Amino acid sequence: SLNHSDCNGSAGDGCETSTLSDPLHCGSCSPCTVANGMAGCSGGQCTVASCNTNFGDCNGSAADGCETALLSSMTSCGACGHNCQGGACMNGVCQPVQLIGNQVLPRAIALDATSVYWTNEGTGQGTSGNGTVLKMPLGGGSVVTIAMGQGQPSAIAVDAARAYWTNSGDGFVNAASIGGGGQINIIAQSQAEPGSVAVDATSVYWANSNFDGNGTSNGIFSAPIGGGLIKTLASDVTTNNVWDIALVSGTIYWNTYSDNANGAIFSISAAGAAAKTLVTEAQSGSADYSQALAVTSTRLYWASGFTNSIKMAPIGGGTATTIVTGQAASGLAIDANFLYWTESQGGSFGSGSSVSKIALDGTGPIVTLANGQTSPVGIAVDGTAVYWTTRANPGAVMKVAK
């Protein structure tokens, strides 16, 4: 009868075997076989019921069974479809890939949908700066020069048309087309060590840190993205030694650096208002590059160089919770699920540093994404990968698949 066969050759029981679902007699009296796995049968067709450990049926075909070695496949590393984006796959874990090397003290990094942008501080000082602002495709490729001859460019932000950066060495805040080769537009000059920068649809925002002078030029400032009148948002005790700023839903957040561990976190409306004090416990210490800040719609995250830890608190302020200990984070980045950071060996740069992540709520394990990094500083993430700079000479722009 239909979907049955006489597999034992006995007329006494007729067509005794169903060939619809038995993997030993699937569609006929012959068995199914599956490479690196167990066979199944559905509707008289051989299927893959399960795969052996570390193998996957990534093409969905029973004909070649569990064809993919998940421990070594660059396109299905650890799981089907987990592409290492050019990196090797070792023991089911994607390894970092260098997008470009031979950079001169690369520091800040930013992303858009197609490109990675970064600043090279260079070795020149002040108005003799030889820093650069560059970009390349997310997957690697040709480098586009956005600006040359910059005085230690330290931070960068991008929108759909332009890149914006601060020069801590000569006090300029500049902008130029992301296409490269265009005129450099001066947003501000004679600033006191401008550092972190952010941009929205109408304005560019930056912090004057003035670490060396701790003078009256400290502050949080804004100007139209095309240049124009500079607006002082905050310039008082709340802006002594600003380290990092973040712009979220029309509010500027910043943290301050203090050698005696009295740093704090503040906020102010991007439209201008009184600054609010959010957190006033130990934020940072004398460990250089350990004061990063990241903000979501609900939480503040920051790196404390004073305690070599990463902490979080509600976005409106309140009690801080330590979520990572024993690591001096030099850069922080966030996506919908995780907090990512570059770690700089307890505040000192070296070749044994790492890039890691933890769940945004601070629970679960710390996952190390890259080890053996030399002075990782800037960090950024998109939907599929993590990118960072290694602040050395020569340095590099690195990437690892999430």
Side-chain angles (χ1 to χ4, degrees), residues 170-238:
D170 61 15
F172 280 80
V173 180
N174 290 331
S177 168
I178 59 175
Q183 178 181 350
I184 295 176
N185 299 311
I186 298 173
I187 303 293
Q189 55 187 307
S190 301
Q191 301 296 293
E193 292 189 70
S196 187
V197 65
V199 66
D200 61 18
T202 61
S203 300
V204 57
Y205 308 85
W206 69 94
N208 283 353
S209 304
N210 199 14
F211 293 122
D212 298 327
N214 195 26
T216 57
S217 296
N218 294 346
I220 309 296
F221 302 90
S222 70
I225 57 175
L229 181 66
I230 296 173
K231 182 177 181 180
T232 301
L233 298 178
S235 184
D236 53 25
V237 68
T238 70

Side-chain angles (χ1 to χ4, degrees), residues 38-64:
M38 293 185 61
C41 180
S42 177
Q45 299 292 319
C46 292
T47 62
V48 176
S50 63
C51 290
N52 296 343
T53 301
N54 299 324
F55 286 89
D57 176 23
C58 297
N59 63 6
S61 172
D64 55 5

Side-chain angles (χ1 to χ4, degrees), residues 58 68 72-85 87 89 94:
C58 297
T68 302
S72 58
S73 171
M74 292 174 61
T75 56
S76 291
C77 186
C80 288
H82 185 211
N83 193 313
C84 290
Q85 302 185 41
C89 177
C94 287

